[in-house]
Amino acid sequence: MHQVIELEGVAKRYDSAGAPALGPLTFSVARGEALAVTGPSGSGKSTLLNLVAGLDKPTDGAVIVAGRRIDQLSEHALARFRREHIGMAFQFFNLLDDLTVTDNIQLPAQLTGTSRRKAAARAGELMEMLGIQKHARAYPGRLSGGERQRVAVARALVNRPALLLADEPTGALDTASGHDVRNLLMDLHRAGQTIVLVTHDLTLAEACASRTIHLVDGHVALDTYAQAVR
Ligand SMILES: Nc1ncnc2c1ncn2[C@@H]1O[C@H](COP(=O)(O)OP(=O)(O)OP(=O)(O)O)[C@@H](O)[C@H]1O
C-alpha cells in the first residue's frame, strides 16, 4: 500500500443550496508523509479530517484509507476500521480521568481483542518511546498538558495505525509543552509514521510536516512539499 489516503472527487455539503463546504478534492497522501492541513477558520479543515477519519460521510466522491473505501461502510464497520487503522489525537486529549496512564493507552488495544498482556507490553513500549514511563501508574489529572498529549498520542498509536490524525494537538498547551509535542510529531514522522496534522499554527506545520495543504473556502489553495529531508 503506497497511498494511505486517496480522495477522489470528494465534496461535502452541509446544506443543499450554495457551494460545498469542502471540495471537490482529489489528492492522495503517501505512506510516511506528514501532511499539515492549514487554512483560515471555516476553510474546511475539520470537515476534511472528519471525512478521512470516517466520522462523517462525503456528499460526493470516494474516500479510501489504508486501501479500503470507507465512505460506504456501515457505522459498525467504520467504528471497527477506525479502531484498527486510524489513531486520533485531539486538542483536549480526551483521556479517561478514572483510568491510569497505562490503562488509557492500552484500552483501544483491548477493544480490538488484543490480550491484556500484549496490550500492556505495547503500552510499555510506547511509554518508553514517548518518555512517559514514569507516569505509568499516574492518573491523567496529575500530568502536565504536554504529558497528557503524549499519553493521548501513545493511545492513538497502540494499535499501530496506518494513519495518525492530530487535530490542533498543541492548541491547548503552553509554549514549552507545545514544543514537546512538536518534537514528538517530528520523531514519529522520522520513524515513518504517516500523519495528518490539522493546525492553525504555521510554525508547527513547518516544523513537523513534509507537505502542507492550505485550504481556502474548501479548496486546496496551496500544496507544497518541504525542501529538505529532515
Ligand atoms: N455540522 C455542520 N453543519 C453545517 N455547517 C457546517 C458544519 N460543520 C462545518 N460547517 C461549515 O462548513 C465550513 C467548514 O467548516 P470547518 O469546521 O470544516 O472549518 P475549519 O477550517 O475546521 O474551521 P476552524 O479552524 O474554525 O475549526 C464552515 O463554513 C462551517 O460553518
Side-chain angles (χ1 to χ4, degrees):
M1 178 196 28
H2 182 60
Q3 305 298 343
V4 173
I5 302 173
E6 295 165 84
L7 301 185
E8 295 172 1
V10 168
K12 177 70 184 178
R13 286 175 189 276
Y14 291 104
D15 108 50
S16 49
L22 186 75
L25 295 183
T26 297
F27 69 84
S28 42
V29 178
R31 190 166 56 197
E33 262 184 353
L35 173 71
V37 179
T38 62
S41 186
S43 58
K45 302 182 297 295
S46 304
T47 301
L48 176 61
L49 197 82
N50 288 341
L51 295 176
V52 169
L55 293 168
D56 203 355
K57 302 219 173 187
T59 323
D60 291 299
V63 180
I64 298 151
V65 178
R68 182 102 180 257
R69 181 157 182 188
I70 64 165
D71 55 280
Q72 295 178 329
L73 294 179
S74 67
E75 287 307 315
H76 180 74
L78 262 177
R80 184 171 169 175
F81 179 85
R82 269 198 301 273
R83 279 203 298 270
E84 291 177 355
H85 300 286
I86 299 179
M88 285 185 269
F90 301 101
Q91 181 172 7
F92 295 110
F93 326 126
N94 296 351
L95 296 170
L96 297 172
D97 287 334
D98 296 337
L99 296 183
T100 63
V101 163
T102 305
D103 287 341
N104 264 284
I105 295 171
Q106 66 188 33
L107 187 64
Q110 291 183 266
L111 289 174
T112 54
T114 308
S115 70
R116 199 175 163 80
R117 193 175 56 79
K118 280 202 177 146
R122 173 72 178 145
E125 187 181 297
L126 283 164
M127 285 188 283
E128 187 157 339
M129 182 178 134
L130 304 190
I132 46 176
Q133 64 275 51
K134 63 176 180 286
H135 303 299
R137 288 162 196 266
Y139 289 87
R142 306 288 296 270
L143 305 183
S144 73
E147 289 161 348
R148 279 189 232 185
Q149 194 56 288
R150 285 183 170 253
V151 175
V153 170
R155 181 186 55 183
L157 295 175
V158 75
N159 288 332
R160 301 178 200 277
L163 177 62
L164 173 66
L165 299 177
D167 192 1
E168 298 285 2
T170 61
L173 301 178
D174 58 58
T175 310
S177 299
H179 285 165
D180 215 33
V181 169
R182 181 184 75 189
N183 291 338
L184 167 59
L185 291 172
M186 289 166 74
D187 287 347
L188 292 172
H189 173 44
R190 280 194 207 98
Q193 176 69 50
T194 309
I195 301 171
V196 173
L197 162 70
V198 167
T199 185
H200 279 103
D201 182 347
L202 296 182
T203 316
L204 177 70
E206 200 170 299
C208 301
S210 54
R211 178 182 177 194
T212 301
I213 281 183
H214 186 70
L215 292 179
V216 175
D217 293 336
H219 292 285
V220 176
L222 278 173
D223 184 353
T224 50
Y225 288 82
Q227 306 248 315
V229 176
R230 274 175 265 267

